[in-house]
Amino acid sequence: EQYNAQAIMDSTGVGDPLYDDLSLRLPITAFKFTNQSKRQLIEALAIAIERAEISFPDEPVLINELSIFTFEQTTSGTIRYNAPPGLHDDCVIALALVHWLWAGLRA
């Protein structure tokens, strides 16, 4: 409240009841991850970065995650965005969620 901060959380699966509980106590926004919502999230971030509509700190972990983040096309034609196996994408997803919330996007 002191900083008028906004919170956003993954409400997918087991996160759903946690969101329900927290939303009674805090102003919080839910985000349900599906293949389609994650694709929209990541593509919106990529466009914002390309257009210089968003900036971010020169944080080595974030920069590394952004540089290794990739996509794959399944045999059915679905595109999935992820970090390579064994690596993390938490910072990329956090940045994408901040952009989603800031830009007022909806999945």
Side-chain angles (χ1 to χ4, degrees), residues 82-98:
N82 288 306
L87 299 175
H88 300 280
D89 62 6
D90 299 335
C91 293
V92 172
I93 298 303
L95 182 63
L97 287 170
V98 166

Side-chain angles (χ1 to χ4, degrees), residues 34-72:
T34 64
N35 189 55
Q36 180 180 354
S37 69
K38 187 174 182 180
R39 181 178 178 178
Q40 291 172 340
L41 185 74
I42 296 302
E43 290 178 357
L45 176 63
I47 291 168
I49 290 171
E50 185 176 296
R51 292 180 179 169
E53 295 170 350
I54 187 171
S55 62
F56 43 86
D58 187 15
E59 168 58 45
V61 174
L62 174 60
I63 302 303
N64 182 59
E65 285 187 15
L66 286 166
S67 69
I68 63 169
F69 199 80
T70 188
F71 72 94
E72 65 176 315

Side-chain angles (χ1 to χ4, degrees), residues 9-19 30-35 37:
M9 73 173 283
D10 180 356
S11 64
T12 310
V14 296
D16 205 22
L18 294 173
Y19 167 75
F31 189 90
K32 287 193 186 286
F33 280 93
T34 64
N35 189 55
S37 69

